[in-house]
Amino acid sequence: MGNYSFLAISGKQGDFQYFIIQLPLRLVTRLLLFDEVEVPDTLRKIRSLDPGLIESTAGYLLAQAKDYVLAPFVATVHSQVVFTELTAEHSEIGWLSVPFTAAIILQHGQHQRAALQQFLAQMPERGNDTLPVMLVPDPDFVRSTRLYADLQQMTTLGTRSQRVLYAHSDLAMFVRQLAVDVPLFQDRIELEKTTISNRSTALFTLSAVYQATQALLHMQKEEALTAEQALRGEQFWRQLGEIIPQWSQVIRSEVTPAYLRENYVHAHTVTLVAIALAGQALIHAHPEDWSKRLRMLGSIDWSRKNTRLWEGRVMIRGRMSKTHDSLKLTTIALKRAMGLTITEQERALEQDLLSLHDTP
């Protein structure tokens, strides 16, 4: 089938070899894949692009077309490669042979690649400019997912959702899988930002699902996830998507996430975490039949107009409240709705906090 032949410099980091090559910009956008269909699902599912960053980078390139700088890209080569030294004296310099059929998948530089496509569409004469690319052989897809996550962690601004998106802990990986598998979350999770815009099609942020699932499973950040916990966590969120009427409607595309955020308390992070905390208490109190008792949440009036229940708890003067007190009060209300025992400490706390909110 033939091979690409690149003049390359060979190097080593840890136990692995890498190669530095120069690619014309016109080939960068053709040869380096990021989230195309050729990229395996296991790699594609954690990848995302920030349109704002792409636009700003493209704007920079167009404004500084004769004096721009782009950092080197990092890509993995999913095939065996052959490196032939030029001379014995300079063994680190040689020709790198890569099969035409090899997938070369970008692990760092995705926003610059997308910006380059816009740049070259307007200035094709810059197509012969060159960019350094670090190629890492990974014929068995062993390193690619970890390499991408590591590079994003080192370069991201580090919002809470981004940390979950790129973390290696059992809990973070489980939450990312929930975002793919659970109908309520499918295509409705904001993967990188910590807030959701009014017109967004997202229902929750990835950080919110992480916080709620951590509370539900009562797990520490780096704790190992058991098969029983994973089964329970997925069952809990799947079942709630069927139990809570408005969540069922959003799954069936009968209402939008934006509509729920505007009209219902359960479309906000503080309530999602409270549901999880109440769920954790339910599972602890009724380990055998908790899923049947969970159906009691379906009869709650979650509307923000239901001020008799939500005002002073998750709402203060009609606005959603994100305070720790609001989380506690909402959890207590949900525990009571499911027939769970309210401790004297919780009862006293509830009385104190609600009376405080009632004070003019």
Side-chain angles (χ1 to χ4, degrees):
M1 292 291 293
N3 299 277
Y4 298 109
S5 187
F6 304 108
L7 186 62
I9 298 176
S10 172
K12 188 178 182 184
Q13 290 184 348
D15 294 332
F16 296 91
Q17 191 174 26
Y18 69 88
F19 304 94
I20 301 294
I21 67 170
Q22 296 282 350
L23 272 185
L25 297 187
R26 55 187 169 79
L27 292 184
V28 167
T29 58
R30 296 178 191 174
L31 295 185
L32 303 186
L33 306 174
F34 178 64
D35 57 1
E36 287 78 5
V37 294
E38 297 91 338
V39 179
D41 286 343
T42 53
L43 302 181
R44 269 193 293 154
K45 67 183 180 182
I46 66 169
R47 292 172 173 242
S48 62
L49 290 169
D50 182 344
L53 184 53
I54 295 170
E55 291 299 323
S56 64
T57 304
Y60 160 75
L61 292 171
L62 290 166
Q64 304 288 335
K66 294 184 178 181
D67 184 24
Y68 66 88
V69 176
L70 287 177
F73 286 9
V74 180
T76 47
V77 182
H78 299 284
S79 171
Q80 298 291 343
V81 300
V82 177
F83 180 72
T84 306
E85 302 169 3
L86 279 181
T87 66
E89 184 178 359
H90 298 288
S91 59
E92 74 280 8
I93 302 175
W95 290 100
L96 181 68
S97 181
V98 179
F100 288 153
T101 55
I104 305 176
I105 301 179
L106 196 60
Q107 306 300 343
H108 177 66
Q110 63 268 28
H111 294 96
Q112 293 93 318
R113 170 186 176 269
L116 282 172
Q117 290 176 316
Q118 297 184 22
F119 175 55
L120 294 178
Q122 297 189 49
M123 302 195 70
E125 65 272 19
R126 308 286 355 162
N128 288 324
D129 290 2
T130 57
L131 183 75
V133 179
M134 177 181 180
L135 294 180
V136 182
D138 186 24
D140 300 319
F141 291 96
V142 173
R143 301 187 68 207
S144 291
T145 301
R146 181 68 179 263
L147 187 60
Y148 175 76
D150 286 348
L151 288 168
Q152 302 314 305
Q153 278 194 311
M154 286 187 282
T155 59
T156 185
L157 294 177
T159 67
R160 279 175 290 187
S161 286
Q162 286 173 326
R163 289 196 290 272
V164 176
L165 184 62
Y166 303 125
H168 305 309
S169 69
D170 282 3
L171 181 59
M173 290 189 287
F174 176 60
V175 169
R176 293 198 296 265
Q177 195 61 47
L178 288 176
V180 174
D181 294 341
V182 174
L184 177 64
F185 301 144
Q186 286 171 355
D187 300 320
R188 298 183 188 89
I189 298 298
E190 169 54 60
L191 295 176
E192 295 195 336
K193 298 177 183 177
T194 54
T195 58
I196 299 176
S197 65
N198 291 335
R199 297 182 180 180
S200 175
T201 58
L203 181 59
F204 300 111
T205 65
L206 188 63
S207 173
V209 179
Y210 178 91
Q211 292 176 62
T213 304
Q214 185 178 29
L216 173 68
L217 301 180
H218 199 58
M219 285 185 65
Q220 299 299 316
K221 190 167 96 171
E222 298 299 329
E223 187 179 342
L225 179 75
T226 67
E228 181 182 0
Q229 286 175 314
L231 182 63
R232 186 190 312 144
E234 182 171 352
Q235 181 183 357
F236 181 85
W237 294 123
R238 280 183 180 274
Q239 190 169 337
L240 277 181
E242 301 170 358
I243 291 172
I244 297 178
Q246 298 78 28
W247 284 5
S248 295
Q249 287 179 303
V250 84
I251 291 172
R252 297 192 299 268
S253 299
E254 295 173 358
V255 296
T256 66
Y259 175 80
L260 293 193
R261 280 194 298 278
E262 184 178 353
N263 294 283
Y264 294 91
V265 299
H266 56 37
H268 296 266
T269 298
V270 61
T271 315
L272 186 72
V273 177
I275 290 171
L277 286 169
Q280 193 274 330
L282 174 67
I283 293 169
H284 179 74
H286 300 278
E288 300 301 325
D289 64 343
W290 65 265
S291 64
K292 292 181 180 179
R293 292 174 177 267
L294 189 64
R295 296 194 174 277
M296 297 178 189
L297 293 184
S299 60
I300 292 178
D301 181 358
W302 298 93
S303 171
R304 293 174 67 162
K305 294 180 180 178
N306 183 15
T307 56
R308 182 177 179 182
L309 178 57
W310 303 123
E311 181 62 36
R313 293 182 187 272
V314 76
M315 294 193 311
I316 305 297
R317 299 181 186 89
R319 298 176 64 87
M320 294 298 298
S321 172
K322 303 176 183 178
T323 67
H324 191 58
D325 287 348
S326 293
L327 176 62
K328 289 180 179 179
L329 289 170
T330 305
T331 302
I332 293 170
L334 296 178
K335 287 178 64 177
R336 185 177 282 113
M338 291 189 291
L340 296 176
T341 300
I342 305 301
T343 66
E344 287 302 320
Q345 184 179 11
E346 287 176 323
R347 202 183 309 276
L349 175 67
E350 184 179 47
Q351 185 174 355
D352 289 346
L353 290 175
L354 288 179
S355 62
L356 180 63
H357 292 314
D358 288 339
T359 302

